[in-house]
């Protein structure tokens, strides 16, 4: 693999996408490529498609991998000023993990909602990786960032949602969070209220779940010292999302 030490690899001025692959099919590929195009424009790289990051290129890369790798895996696409890289890896999320649900806590690291970098999926990803590793070392699955105003914004590798009286709530974008692919999908297909949420308000919610492209919809059974014993709405969102995404031509009834 020929990697040039450009500003992406020296200073984190690059972008990436991690695309779930199920039975050889990239999930929500068009949405990932659109987000990568936005990041490419933000960094001034020129169109990602002109650089060779296209649907055809992703499909060809997947076809060149082994059947075992593409049964339940992920394609990572990295784009920087002088580099375009494709990499295949496994998807660590299993049905057992959904059945257990996540335990998470609040990070002491603050998200800077004034930085444009937080609104793109960039190679400047150190805070997320370090906090995810710290969570694992603590025996939990996720850390959740607050912004500089003390508002909940997102997880280290996820977007976060809450449920109260069967209504879904999520932090609004300007709280300082990445507009995730699954977040975008849930907002388009379910009735979701984007709002400002503070940690001291968590006791008033009945459920919590997090999303990203590889885990899909993951119930959270505890965040900090707040327990969420219910997962009815989260399970319904997950079930209907799996139907809709795995069978894109089928019109699932979303409510």
């Amino acid at each position: 693999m020929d990697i040039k030490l450009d500003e992406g690899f020296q200073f984190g001025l690059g972008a990436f996408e991690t695309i779930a692959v199920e039975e050889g099919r990239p999930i929500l590929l068009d949405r990932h490529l659109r987000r990568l195009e936005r990041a490419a424009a933000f960094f001034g790289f020129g169109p990602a498609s002109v650089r060779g990051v296209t649907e055809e290129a992703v499909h060809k890369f997947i076809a060149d991998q082994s059947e075992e790798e593409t049964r339940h895996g992920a394609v990572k696409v990295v784009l920087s000023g002088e580099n375009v890289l494709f990499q295949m890896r496994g998807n660590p999320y299993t049905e057992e993990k959904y059945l257990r649900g996540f335990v998470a806590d609040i990070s002491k690291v603050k998200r800077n909602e004034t930085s444009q970098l937080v609104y793109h999926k960039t190679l400047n990803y150190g805070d997320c990786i370090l906090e995810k590793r710290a969570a694992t070392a603590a025996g939990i699955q996720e850390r959740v960032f607050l912004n500089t105003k003390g508002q909940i914004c997102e997880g280290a590798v996820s977007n976060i949602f809450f449920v109260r009286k069967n209504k879904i709530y999520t932090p609004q974008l300007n709280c300082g969070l990445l507009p995730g692919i699954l977040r975008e999908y849930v907002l388009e297909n379910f009735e979701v209220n984007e709002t400002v949420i503070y940690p001291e308000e968590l006791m008033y919610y009945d459920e919590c779940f997090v999303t990203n492209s590889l885990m899909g919809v993951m119930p959270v059974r505890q965040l900090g010292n707040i327990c969420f014993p219910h997962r009815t709405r989260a399970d319904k969102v997950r079930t209907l999302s799996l139907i809709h995404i795995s069978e894109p031509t089928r019109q699932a009834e979303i409510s």
Side-chain angles (χ1 to χ4, degrees), residues 18-22 25-28 32 62 73-75 91 213-214:
T18 306
I19 305 156
V21 178
E22 296 295 332
R25 186 171 71 89
I27 306 301
L28 300 176
H32 282 282
I62 294 172
V75 173
N91 186 335
S213 294
L214 298 192

Side-chain angles (χ1 to χ4, degrees), residues 101-105 135 139-143 219-224:
F102 271 12
V103 175
D105 65 10
I140 61 176
Q141 290 74 50
E142 182 64 306
R143 284 270 172 86
V220 175
R221 69 176 192 268
Q222 184 173 342
L223 174 54

Side-chain angles (χ1 to χ4, degrees), residues 96-234:
E96 181 183 0
K97 293 182 179 181
Y98 293 107
L99 294 175
R100 287 202 310 265
F102 271 12
V103 175
D105 65 10
I106 302 294
S107 173
K108 294 180 181 179
V109 177
K110 296 295 188 291
R111 267 283 185 262
N112 179 9
E113 73 279 2
T114 69
S115 171
Q116 288 300 306
L117 289 173
V118 303
Y119 301 102
H120 299 280
K121 198 170 183 69
T122 78
L123 298 180
N124 206 304
Y125 207 65
D127 280 347
C128 297
I129 295 298
L130 292 175
E131 284 302 277
K132 182 64 174 177
R133 289 176 180 173
T136 300
I140 61 176
Q141 290 74 50
E142 182 64 306
R143 284 270 172 86
V144 174
F145 293 114
L146 308 181
N147 62 20
T148 64
K149 300 175 182 177
Q151 302 161 344
I152 290 176
C153 47
E154 63 180 347
V157 296
S158 65
N159 291 121
I160 191 163
F161 295 80
F162 299 93
V163 178
R164 181 170 59 205
K165 295 181 180 178
N166 208 37
K167 293 183 179 179
I168 304 173
Y169 298 83
T170 196
Q172 57 194 31
L173 193 61
N174 62 11
C175 288
L177 54 97
L178 176 72
I181 299 300
L182 256 292
R183 178 185 187 272
E184 176 185 76
Y185 180 86
V186 172
L187 261 63
E188 289 179 6
N189 290 280
F190 298 85
E191 185 177 345
V192 180
N193 299 282
E194 294 182 84
T195 187
V196 173
I197 303 170
Y198 290 91
E200 54 268 28
E201 298 171 348
L202 294 183
M203 66 180 71
Y204 302 114
Y205 290 94
D206 308 311
E207 298 183 42
C208 176
F209 61 91
V210 291
T211 63
N212 74 21
S213 294
L214 298 192
M215 72 173 70
V217 177
M218 178 67 71
V220 175
R221 69 176 192 268
Q222 184 173 342
L223 174 54
N225 61 356
I226 303 297
C227 292
F228 298 98
H230 305 293
R231 52 187 293 171
T232 304
R233 190 63 170 153

Side-chain angles (χ1 to χ4, degrees), residues 95 98 185 216 237-247:
E95 187 64 26
Y98 293 107
Y185 180 86
V237 172
R238 182 185 179 224
T239 299
L240 292 178
S241 296
L242 286 172
I243 293 171
H244 207 66
I245 292 170
S246 63
E247 301 181 42

Side-chain angles (χ1 to χ4, degrees), residues 28-97:
L28 300 176
L29 176 58
D30 56 338
R31 294 173 184 260
H32 282 282
L33 294 182
R34 285 199 298 269
R35 187 171 66 177
L36 190 62
E37 288 287 6
R38 293 194 295 269
F42 169 70
F43 283 117
F45 293 154
S49 56
V50 175
R51 299 280 303 280
V53 184
T54 62
E55 288 193 17
E56 293 75 16
V58 174
H59 281 288
K60 182 179 184 307
F61 177 79
I62 294 172
D64 290 340
Q65 312 308 305
S66 72
E67 183 178 342
E68 182 178 355
E69 288 179 303
T70 61
R71 186 174 295 114
H72 181 61
V75 173
K76 184 173 183 177
V77 182
V78 178
L79 181 69
S80 62
E82 299 181 56
N83 294 282
V84 176
L85 306 172
F86 292 82
Q87 185 180 38
M88 194 79 204
R89 66 180 180 86
N91 186 335
Y93 299 103
T94 63
E95 187 64 26
E96 181 183 0
K97 293 182 179 181

